[in-house]
Amino acid sequence: MSFAAKSRPTEPGAYNQPAPRGRSTRVRRQRVRAAWLFLTPMLIVLALVAGWPLLRTFWFSVTDATLNSMEGANFIGFENYLIHDAGGWYGLLADPEWWNAVWNTLYFTGVSVGLESVLGIIVALVLNAEFRGRTLVRAAILIPWAIPTIVSAKIWAWMLNDQFGILNHLFMTLGLIDAPLAWTADASLSMWAVIMVDVWKATPFVALLVLAALQMLPSDCYEAAKVDGISPLKVFFRVTLPLIMPALLVAIIFRALDALRVFDVIYVLTSNSSSTMTMSVYARQQLVEFQDVGYGSAASTLLFLIIALVSIAYLYLGRRQLGGDT
Amino acid sequence: MSIRLLKAVLMKIGFWALVALLVCYAVFPFYYAVITSLKPSSALFQIDYWINHVDLSNYAAVLSQSSFVQSIWNSILVAFCVVGISLTLGLTAAYALGRVRFRGRGAVLMIVLGVSMFPQVAVLSGLFEVIRTLNLYNTPWGLVLSYTIFTLPFTVWILTTFMRQLPGELEEAAIMDGATPWVTLVHVFMPLMWPAMATTGLLAFIAAWNEFLFALTFTLTDSQRTVPVGIALISGGSQYELPWGMIMAASVIVTVPLVVLVIIFQRRIVSGLTAGAVKG
């Protein structure tokens, strides 16, 4: 059933559709009308849960809305973002906490996506080799991906427990550390604890995408390299890596989009600690805990804009893959 | 020759060591959760690498909490409704996007792809307002509605990809017979789409089962929560004495169904993930 993996190149020409020739325009018009009718429910739902709420968030970000009076919000311009008042700058863009959250998010994204890519490639190369029990190993590798983020955060919180955690015990037995580390409480370690959990959970996703690409590679260039006696490492960097690059890039962008909006791992593992606070955690804290919908919406809007920039870059790169008649 | 043989053997050992290491890395945390959940509270703080105790008191404690049991039912209800709605809306949309050529198709695909990239927190305040206006705050239905924001885009995307691959002759015959698009969809395409629908349904189920941010924000009382929130909020006497045995038991209970699903349907899940991502 792996037809999906082989389905990548969908040229517009390969489009499976009844040829229009010899058919009256009435049927065609009926089909187009039906198409829009079929699309309408989905578009209505998306407008209700995505389009309209997003516009409202934009609107709230320029008001003084609070959680209890969202309807009666007053327009206050860009005061939530930046305001010069009584000799000082205030607002989101002048808030060191916000910039700390931005930096944390970027740091988290960069490090965890980087590690996931490297590890993901290694896992994919292993799974691409022919060996007994490969299906079983693949299933085992998939397990972290299926475990709910909250559960994996809790399991790791327990394993990273400063007094009774197995990781401290293991590291001390191996002689890597002298004293137990407070992984989630220590400000200099907690970001690494979060990254550790995210890498554990997300590597399978990267590995699967890379594996799908590996399995589509032509085998003849490998045979040629083998005959020529080129070292496997060289083959990997000169042949394999460039060929799987498109799939790897897709995986990286998907992971980066996920990492930029990360919330649940951090909320469960380190709650609102400022050393791991990301943009999503910051925005939710303002919105829900401080009930400052206006200010929180401003933070959400900025996060949205950052992610939109990344997405647009991706859509621009992947435009040709959309196929069909744009 | 013997050096070459030695090298081959060493390579083989190295390879299997790597496989073993990766499997340990992937499986150990969950395995450790299982060990912990089976310990009596007296043995909780001694570190074991093997199963030395089989004590079900943690499971009994968790399952005797009516709010946890209720949260399991809520999660099941929400996940199944989300899957049903996503597949129904996704299938009709996929027919339109995958089989009919019309102006604006590219734009609709772009919108769908764009929504799949939304950060959830960006719609949090707006969606909160929508849910409160519709009187769905603190109900599972509010969650069902809000979860479509992430399940619908990838359902539409993957089903469209699959729909495009079906041969055109099928539909041609149906059109010749004067079948309406609806009849064509239900009687010609749906029987062929079951594998793809199973795949996307599984992915939607897992996504809905695991969601946390909306569930945390749009529910208030214990009786309306879903399991991720329930587990995140299990607490002991103070922040420093969390009932780890119970937390691990609850974690195992909500994860085992997913792990079983993944092991049974791993081929489907893999094909769905790669179809969704390679195309999108």
Side-chain angles (χ1 to χ4, degrees), chain B residues 219-242:
Chain B
T219 59
L220 189 65
T221 52
D222 278 348
S223 63
Q224 303 299 320
R225 288 196 176 115
T226 55
V227 277
V229 184
I231 289 177
L233 297 182
I234 291 179
S235 57
S238 78
Q239 203 197 331
Y240 300 98
E241 37 180 309
L242 288 173

Side-chain angles (χ1 to χ4, degrees), chain A residues 166-180:
Chain A
I166 194 164
L167 223 68
N168 276 335
H169 182 264
L170 183 69
F171 283 1
M172 280 169 74
T173 317
L174 294 174
L176 294 175
I177 52 174
D178 302 326

Side-chain angles (χ1 to χ4, degrees), chain B residues 33-195:
Chain B
V34 174
I35 299 184
T36 307
S37 69
L38 290 173
K39 281 182 180 181
S41 49
S42 57
L44 189 60
F45 297 121
Q46 78 194 46
I47 285 162
D48 290 313
Y49 290 85
W50 309 108
I51 300 179
N52 293 329
H53 307 270
V54 179
D55 181 296
L56 295 176
S57 59
N58 287 316
Y59 289 90
V62 160
L63 291 175
S64 68
Q65 284 190 350
S66 59
S67 63
F68 182 74
V69 178
Q70 182 62 42
S71 71
I72 293 181
W73 287 116
N74 291 338
S75 273
I76 292 174
L77 174 73
V78 169
F80 274 106
C81 289
V82 168
V83 170
I85 292 176
S86 308
L87 283 184
T88 314
L89 298 185
L91 194 67
T92 52
Y95 174 76
L97 292 169
R99 309 299 306 190
V100 185
R101 204 182 274 250
F102 60 93
R103 279 167 88 85
R105 205 184 97 241
V108 173
L109 278 170
M110 278 290 192
I111 289 173
V112 170
L113 193 60
V115 171
S116 75
M117 291 168 177
F118 268 33
Q120 275 177 290
V121 79
V123 292
L124 203 62
S125 47
L127 204 50
F128 184 79
E129 192 191 36
V130 168
I131 283 176
R132 217 161 46 172
T133 310
L134 296 175
N135 258 330
L136 298 175
Y137 180 65
N138 199 28
T139 66
W141 310 114
L143 297 184
V144 171
L145 179 69
S146 60
Y147 286 3
T148 54
I149 192 177
F150 54 83
T151 58
L152 205 47
F154 78 76
T155 311
V156 171
W157 199 257
I158 298 178
L159 289 180
T160 303
T161 311
F162 278 87
M163 193 75 99
R164 274 186 186 172
Q165 291 159 9
L166 298 175
E169 291 80 22
L170 290 166
E171 199 178 359
E172 202 137 347
I175 291 171
M176 287 301 180
D177 291 346
T180 62
W182 176 254
V183 171
T184 316
L185 173 63
V186 173
H187 292 283
V188 179
F189 285 118
M190 225 158 80
L192 298 168
M193 288 296 284
W194 280 119

